């Protein structure tokens, strides 16, 4: 089974509503991310795989493709068909495709927030 895909495959998957998991850390995600992805940082990944929806294929993206390949291999080893997006968010941004910035809706509150 192929464990990597290109940007065109990711674009088609997003259009079809396939789950796309961003495994970068929160600070990276806040700076820029592909619209429609779900943040599950690699540092929390093993404990949060239950949050990944059932799908024929799960797409995994990171900065350039290294961490997403690790996560995709982990998912495949645990019976979830996953592919890593080659080039990651950096390639997506450089291609001129739309991006977003900001925290995910479910982001934890900053530790220095006033109560």
């Amino acid at each position: 089974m192929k464990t990597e895909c290109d940007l065109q495959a990711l674009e088609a998957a997003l259009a079809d509503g396939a789950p796309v998991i961003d495994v970068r850390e929160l600070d990276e995600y806040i700076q820029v991310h592909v619209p429609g992805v779900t943040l599950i940082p690699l540092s929390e990944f093993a404990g949060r795989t239950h949050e990944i929806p059932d799908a024929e294929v799960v797409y995994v993206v990171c900065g350039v493709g290294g961490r997403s390949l690790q996560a995709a291999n982990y998912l495949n080893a645990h019976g979830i068909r996953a592919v890593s997006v080659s080039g990651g968010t950096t390639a997506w941004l450089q291609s001129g495709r739309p991006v977003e910035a900001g925290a995910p809706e479910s982001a934890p509150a900053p530790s220095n927030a006033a109560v």
Side-chain angles (χ1 to χ4, degrees), residues 75-93:
L75 291 175
N76 284 310
H78 288 85
I80 299 171
R81 185 167 173 231
V83 294
S84 170
V85 179
S86 183
T89 304
T90 299
W92 183 272
L93 176 65

Side-chain angles (χ1 to χ4, degrees), residues 30-43:
I30 288 171
Q31 289 177 11
V32 65
H33 56 270
V34 174
V37 301
T38 300
L39 177 66
I40 302 179
L42 191 60
S43 61

Side-chain angles (χ1 to χ4, degrees), residues 6-31:
D6 59 18
L7 296 179
Q8 291 79 13
L10 174 60
E11 196 167 43
L14 284 166
D16 288 343
V20 181
I21 308 301
D22 189 330
V23 296
R24 298 174 304 143
E25 295 302 315
L26 178 60
D27 62 325
E28 296 171 285
Y29 179 93
I30 288 171
Q31 289 177 11

